[in-house]
Amino acid sequence: LDLARFYFANFLHLFHYLNERKIILRNFDYENVFVDSNTGYIKYINYDSFKIMDKDKCYTLVGKEKYLSPEMINFSGYN
């Protein structure tokens, strides 16, 4: 249970870090998450799906079709 809490806290830290810097992780996939064997901390290795928010909304389609949000399908923008 302690190990699960540790990894959960790692994910929270990752998302908080990205959110503070206005970076969107648009295609989160568990296959891109690894555990560093030296430190035990998680590492996210796919940076292709990161987007720096330079405007209020994004309009690009990213991800698998069956998981697209309504905002992406309707081209109404997302943030």
Side-chain angles (χ1 to χ4, degrees):
L1 186 59
D2 288 337
L3 191 58
R5 287 182 181 156
F6 175 75
Y7 289 131
F8 184 72
N10 272 245
F11 281 109
L12 288 179
H13 180 63
L14 168 68
F15 294 127
H16 178 72
Y17 178 86
L18 295 174
N19 188 42
E20 279 188 333
R21 286 154 183 79
K22 297 189 182 234
I23 299 173
I24 297 175
L25 177 54
R26 300 183 295 182
N27 189 16
F28 183 78
D29 192 352
Y30 69 90
E31 294 174 349
N32 296 320
V33 177
F34 289 91
V35 177
D36 186 324
S37 60
N38 295 323
T39 64
Y41 288 96
I42 61 167
K43 303 284 183 182
Y44 192 80
I45 62 164
N46 182 1
Y47 300 102
D48 293 339
S49 63
F50 281 39
K51 166 109 175 127
I52 297 174
M53 286 294 296
D54 51 356
K55 300 177 184 173
D56 289 337
K57 291 188 176 186
C58 294
Y59 295 90
T60 52
L61 292 174
V62 177
K64 298 175 178 109
E65 290 180 18
K66 63 181 178 180
Y67 298 114
L68 291 178
S69 68
E71 295 85 2
M72 286 184 177
I73 295 169
N74 295 330
F75 297 102
S76 60
Y78 59 93
N79 54 11

